[in-house]
Amino acid sequence: MSPAPRRDGPRDLSPQSESGVPGFQPASVHRGEPFSKTPPARRTGASLLPGPATPDPSARVPLEGFPLHPRVVEILRETGIRELYPPQAEALAPVLAGKSLLLACPTSSGKSLVAYMALVHAALEGRRGVYIVPLRALASEKYQDLEPFRRLGLKIGLTMGERDLSSEELEGIDILVSTSEKVDSLLRHRNPWMDRVGVVVADEVHLLRDPGRGPTLEVSLTRLRRRQRGLQVVALSATVGNSQDLARWLSAVHVASAFRPVPLHPGVFREGVLSFLDGSEKPQPSRGTAVEQLVHGALDEGGQALVFVNSRRSTVSVASALSRGVGARLSEGSRAALQEVLSDLDRVGEEETESVRQLRSLVPHGVAFHNASLTNPERAVVERAFREGKLRCLVATTTLAMGLNLPARRVIVRDTTRYDEALGSPVALPAMEVQQMLGRAGRPRYDPYGEAVLIARDLSEEEELRERYLTAPPENVESRLASVAVLRTHVLALVASGEVRSWEELEDFLRSTYYGQEESIEALGAHLRAARAFLETNGLLRGGEPLRATDFGHLTSDLYLDPVSAVLLRRALSRASPSTPPIAYLATLASTPDLAPLYLRAGEEADMTARYAGLAPALLLKPEEDELLPDFDSFLGTLKTASLLEAWLDDRRTLVEITGTFHIGAGDLRTRVERAEWLLSAMAELARRERRGVARALDLLSLRVRYGIREELSELVLLRGIGRVRSRLLYDAGWRDVATLAKADLPAVSGVLGSPALAEGVLDQARSYHHPSRAVRLPPADRGEA
Ligand SMILES: Nc1ncnc2c1ncn2[C@@H]1O[C@H](COP(=O)(O)OP(=O)(O)OP(=O)(O)O)[C@@H](O)[C@H]1O
Ligand SMILES: [Mg+2]
């Protein structure tokens, strides 16, 4: 590691006033007025259509005028940043002066850079920083962007996925890139690392309006701000109607701009012609479907194309339809580069997946798909190949919609509706979501311009699409805190961590949320009462005041369980015995709100009903007996999830066969495996408090779920580099445990594993296995993906 920051390099940063930037007039900087009487302006400006007030896209502000550390400027230059865009310049001055900021700008306007500067500047002054993102892929991108600043002696960390960083791993980290769940988890664990955090970045803060991710971010930001009065918050938002309200909530300087460094031309394609909003038109090559015409049109201009569709199946079928035509255009050089992508795909998993099989036939044509069927490492290979220009066209679901920097000259959103399971019919996508997808086009450093295209069948649809998605005023951000499920979880966490000790303090907390600013918290009353009743009746909170969590409540919050899941797991445990079969545990996990169920396909209902009838006597929880379980029909879906996990535990079944049987992708299996492993270890933790006998069985099951193995392989998988497939090879070759393997000779093991280097590493581990100080430990983080 490089030397500690506080000993490295000069720190004599000369402070400069907010307006002290030469040659620069801050035009739209406003202080958020917490008690302003005038209602903030709503729905200002158009979202995609650059209005007359758009600054000149060629306008740039020199870096020299800012109180940045000279070595920071040097690193920026080396990474290709020589000047700032006008909104960056507007935002940077207050940020470097330690003020909070709400920056609302179009996609691609370089918002992250302002956040990076805030973090690096603070870190050099000894204040820690956290960069909060909503998605793993974004976390990786931000982490990589921050890497060059390591040269200043700063330690950059990354946390995402199911595992928390330990206190030792956090030690010395100056800047942590984290998903919002991980920040919530660090707060719940009262991790002392958080105490010295001086600046927090909330990226994609408009996601406060997302019912899934919004409340966690809202509560975390509120908690952080209340813990530390002077906390600097840098919030980055898409163009929204009420960014002034967000700024007011965060007591932040408000910088909003319509500036986009790379012009984005929005348009609608109909009957062979692409009509842009500015009135210009581009006829497209007339071959194949609308998507094919548009993709070839983009390739004709030398760009790459990104297509968004609304189902995974479509990503594959559209990519296949495109592959022949795109492949015919490739040069010899590009074909060779695509072979490298194939080798990368082969390297990411121990076992082949269906998606990789499909990609193998597409990638040589310069086309690929990207969806949640892919595992995270597979997605990373596809993203990189597209970024490097090896893949000319990518067809994706919304997995690629947000925040990422991709070289897409033309983005084509084919579908603007999504099938709504609850309604049983398609619904129109929110404008903000479509605009996020369209905003992937025309990113600085990749393309001189971008084209954002929707597809219409007829004139009336064309008009509707324009109005709804291209010229509509931006949408507002509203809080999603008003939900019993949300309050149940967060009230427990607030009480368990000691942050709230009475109902009055809780109300005070809620008043300081974004919800509390926008609405009267009396409106939360009914939800709050229901949440409280649940927590008290189920023994998570003690009744009365001061508010206190029970041991069970503390454990639930620390384990990051949904309170409903915790109650279900505890109930199941009270009925478990050493002879409980694995499927009964798996069915328990699958029926909690912490594990997303699989949908039943037509015809599967009868199979699952029959399976239920057979399993019912062994199940620990049954829908007819438990009011907290989903109704019978939905329960069948959870049983299907349990059956999937059970199939995964049989390593003699291949991944391709399992995912084929359940009609899912390896990525879906992977996410459920990670959740199930985590729930099993939580359940084991609960069991340790009460019934030691089953805790051990749960630990073993958790290990088996992690690797997807029969019990007999559970020792071999403890060796690094050995997973589901290789442990089976070793076992079937006669090395059934580590002690026997330690006595094997290298050529024999190498013959079985097909790699001398791997065999050597494995034998080294096996031979030191019994040495007490070098005992083999479970590898962290990269579970089962090796
Ligand atoms: N001043 C600059 N000069 C050159 N390139 C820049 C500058 N600022 C940012 N960039 C580049 O612009 C690209 C887009 O930046 P960024 O990802 O921060 O956009 P964004 O505003 O966050 O967009 P989105 O809303 O889509 O997330 C990045 O590749 C970044 O490196
Ligand atoms: Mg961004």
Side-chain angles (χ1 to χ4, degrees):
M1 216 229 59
S2 25
R6 275 148 289 284
R7 275 178 274 116
D8 180 60
R11 299 273 181 274
D12 55 334
L13 306 173
S14 42
Q16 204 160 340
S17 74
E18 195 173 312
S19 54
V21 183
F24 167 67
Q25 287 296 310
S28 60
V29 181
H30 315 281
R31 283 295 294 174
E33 298 284 347
F35 305 108
S36 158
K37 297 242 166 35
T38 39
R42 292 190 181 255
R43 298 189 163 260
T44 46
S47 42
L48 272 180
L49 181 66
T54 304
D56 172 7
S58 63
R60 299 287 187 269
V61 182
L63 277 171
E64 280 66 29
F66 296 88
L68 288 167
H69 194 290
R71 290 187 63 194
V72 173
V73 175
E74 197 181 297
I75 292 173
L76 286 178
R77 283 184 192 287
E78 282 169 26
T79 56
I81 291 168
R82 293 183 176 78
E83 294 161 314
L84 295 178
Y85 303 138
Q88 290 177 328
E90 269 190 54
L92 198 56
V95 155
L96 294 181
K99 293 182 180 158
S100 287
L101 169 83
L102 185 287
L103 178 59
C105 293
T107 53
S108 199
S109 53
K111 296 184 282 292
S112 327
L113 184 72
V114 176
Y116 300 153
M117 291 304 94
L119 291 166
V120 169
H121 190 74
L124 292 173
E125 288 179 345
R127 287 183 294 140
R128 289 175 179 158
V130 186
Y131 193 118
I132 310 178
V133 287
L135 300 172
R136 287 192 200 191
L138 269 179
S140 309
E141 189 181 286
K142 302 305 163 200
Y143 179 70
Q144 278 164 21
D145 283 353
L146 282 163
E147 289 235 280
F149 297 101
R150 280 179 199 281
R151 274 190 278 147
L152 301 176
L154 300 182
K155 192 170 168 192
I156 321 281
L158 173 67
T159 173
M160 55 185 187
E162 301 302 316
R163 207 179 63 96
D164 281 347
L165 286 184
S166 66
S167 288
E168 295 91 77
E169 287 167 310
L170 278 168
E171 183 64 34
I173 286 182
D174 300 290
I175 300 174
L176 182 67
V177 181
S178 171
T179 51
S180 36
E181 288 71 28
K182 292 282 108 180
V183 169
D184 188 14
S185 178
L186 285 169
L187 283 171
R188 287 188 194 197
H189 289 111
R190 296 168 287 280
N191 194 304
W193 187 88
M194 295 297 277
D195 295 340
R196 288 220 338 252
V197 168
V199 50
V200 169
V201 175
D203 202 353
E204 312 284 350
V205 75
H206 53 269
L207 283 181
L208 285 178
R209 73 203 284 275
D210 181 278
R213 307 185 181 94
T216 304
L217 180 61
E218 184 174 342
V219 171
S220 295
L221 285 176
T222 309
R223 289 176 79 165
L224 284 161
R225 294 184 65 224
R226 285 169 62 97
R227 276 161 57 115
Q228 236 164 293
R229 291 288 159 188
L231 181 74
Q232 183 182 20
V233 179
V234 176
L236 312 178
S237 166
T239 305
V240 297
N242 60 345
S243 55
Q244 292 266 18
D245 295 347
L246 287 170
R248 193 157 55 95
W249 174 47
L250 297 170
S251 311
V253 175
H254 176 246
V255 177
S257 162
F259 175 85
R260 202 179 194 276
V262 176
L264 182 66
H265 306 295
V268 181
F269 177 78
R270 179 174 61 84
E271 289 167 8
V273 180
L274 173 49
S275 319
F276 293 103
L277 282 190
D278 63 7
S280 62
E281 290 190 345
K282 255 189 199 176
Q284 296 299 298
S286 56
R287 58 175 153 180
T289 59
V291 168
E292 284 167 66
Q293 296 177 42
L294 286 164
V295 166
H296 286 287
L299 301 186
D300 284 346
E301 290 181 31
Q304 285 166 257
L306 174 59
V307 184
F308 284 103
V309 293
N310 62 4
S311 75
R312 298 178 189 186
R313 190 186 292 249
S314 293
T315 60
V316 181
S317 62
V318 170
S320 309
L322 286 164
S323 63
R324 207 156 357 114
V326 177
R329 319 170 64 115
L330 297 174
S331 67
E332 274 313 307
S334 352
R335 279 179 221 282
L338 289 164
Q339 287 306 313
E340 293 164 20
V341 180
L342 287 182
S343 333
D344 290 347
L345 277 174
D346 286 336
R347 268 198 294 272
V348 290
E350 200 191 28
E351 199 174 349
E352 185 175 67
T353 64
E354 184 56 31
S355 297
V356 168
R357 270 192 189 178
Q358 292 166 327
L359 284 171
R360 205 169 280 137
S361 64
L362 294 169
V363 167
H365 299 279
V367 179
F369 59 86
H370 190 286
N371 63 36
S373 289
L374 298 172
T375 61
N376 287 320
E378 290 166 0
R379 290 187 208 190
V381 170
V382 170
E383 287 160 27
R384 192 170 61 238
F386 187 68
R387 245 181 216 147
E388 290 171 350
K390 295 175 180 167
L391 290 169
R392 306 302 301 161
C393 173
L394 198 54
V395 188
T397 50
T398 49
T399 45
L400 278 186
M402 219 173 1
L404 291 174
N405 277 300
L406 299 165
R409 175 82 53 89
R410 181 177 285 175
V411 167
I412 302 148
V413 176
R414 189 195 70 171
D415 306 323
T416 51
T417 59
R418 173 183 297 133
Y419 186 77
D420 185 305
E421 292 286 342
L423 290 176
S425 61
V427 292
L429 296 180
M432 211 182 281
E433 208 173 311
V434 172
Q435 286 162 1
Q436 281 293 320
M437 296 184 224
L438 294 174
R440 292 317 101 212
R443 308 288 291 189
R445 301 204 237 197
Y446 284 126
D447 285 294
Y449 61 93
E451 292 173 342
V453 186
L454 300 173
I455 300 174
R457 273 160 306 201
D458 52 37
L459 185 60
S460 81
E461 192 183 11
E462 177 174 342
E463 281 164 0
E464 192 193 320
L465 289 177
R466 274 173 188 254
E467 209 166 293
R468 189 192 287 265
Y469 296 114
L470 305 185
T471 60
E475 292 163 302
N476 282 351
V477 175
E478 273 144 28
S479 166
R480 299 290 179 157
L481 218 53
S483 129
V484 184
V486 164
L487 291 171
R488 217 163 34 203
T489 299
H490 291 293
V491 168
L492 176 64
L494 286 167
V495 174
S497 64
E499 254 173 87
V500 151
R501 280 155 308 191
S502 65
W503 290 103
E504 204 180 315
E505 281 182 20
L506 179 66
E507 285 184 7
D508 188 51
F509 180 93
L510 292 170
R511 259 185 226 108
S512 55
T513 60
Y514 180 54
Y515 182 95
Q517 171 184 280
E518 299 293 294
E519 315 279 339
S520 140
I521 63 150
E522 274 70 58
L524 282 180
H527 295 306
L528 257 186
R529 280 191 294 279
R532 176 183 185 174
F534 178 88
L535 295 171
E536 287 181 357
T537 324
N538 289 289
L540 292 134
L541 289 188
R542 295 178 205 284
E545 293 201 6
L547 290 179
R548 271 180 311 154
T550 60
D551 286 347
F552 175 53
H554 276 289
L555 194 60
T556 301
S557 178
D558 282 355
L559 293 172
Y560 207 70
L561 290 170
D562 182 306
V564 173
S565 302
V567 172
L568 286 172
L569 295 185
R570 189 182 54 175
R571 239 176 240 180
L573 271 179
S574 70
R575 297 169 195 160
S577 75
S579 61
T580 299
I583 184 69
Y585 289 119
L586 299 177
T588 302
L589 316 178
S591 66
T592 68
D594 277 313
L595 198 61
L598 295 173
Y599 289 108
L600 290 185
R601 295 160 63 93
E604 285 182 338
E605 212 175 290
D607 296 350
M608 279 302 138
T609 310
R611 176 115 226 248
Y612 177 71
L615 282 178
L619 291 183
L620 299 168
L621 303 172
K622 300 191 213 7
E624 62 269 23
E625 291 168 10
D626 243 302
E627 80 295 350
L628 288 178
L629 286 190
D631 63 27
F632 188 72
D633 285 349
S634 314
F635 185 80
L636 292 182
T638 71
L639 204 56
K640 181 177 168 188
T641 318
S643 307
L644 167 71
L645 291 168
E646 188 187 37
W648 166 245
L649 291 180
D650 182 359
D651 57 87
R652 296 216 182 260
R653 298 181 69 174
T654 65
L655 200 53
V656 169
E657 191 235 316
I658 297 169
T659 51
T661 306
F662 288 87
H663 304 283
I664 55 162
D668 304 290
L669 173 61
R670 197 73 247 156
T671 48
R672 283 172 182 85
V673 161
E674 285 183 10
R675 304 289 284 182
E677 185 201 343
W678 157 66
L679 282 167
L680 279 166
S681 37
M683 198 173 184
E685 216 41 59
L686 287 171
R688 265 185 268 285
R689 308 282 162 117
E690 296 162 31
R691 306 166 58 92
R692 292 202 152 266
V694 297
R696 201 134 352 115
L698 287 164
D699 284 335
L700 175 63
L701 189 56
S702 171
L703 180 77
R704 289 185 57 204
V705 165
R706 173 170 177 179
Y707 289 103
I709 47 162
R710 295 187 185 190
E711 189 172 338
E712 67 218 28
L713 300 182
S714 55
E715 188 175 308
L716 290 173
V717 290
L718 298 183
L719 300 172
R720 262 191 319 280
I722 298 302
R724 189 170 201 253
V725 174
R726 293 179 187 136
S727 60
R728 174 53 65 194
L729 291 173
L730 293 173
Y731 188 92
D732 286 352
W735 301 299
R736 303 191 158 192
D737 52 39
V738 176
T740 322
L741 183 65
K743 292 186 213 121
D745 57 279
L746 182 62
V749 178
S750 167
V752 168
L753 293 179
S755 152
L758 178 64
E760 205 170 320
V762 165
L763 279 177
D764 276 355
Q765 293 178 66
R767 286 173 186 149
S768 55
Y769 186 68
H770 292 295
H771 196 289
S773 63
R774 293 175 64 193
V776 178
R777 289 227 212 102
L778 284 178
D782 59 343
R783 334 175 145 199
E785 276 159 5

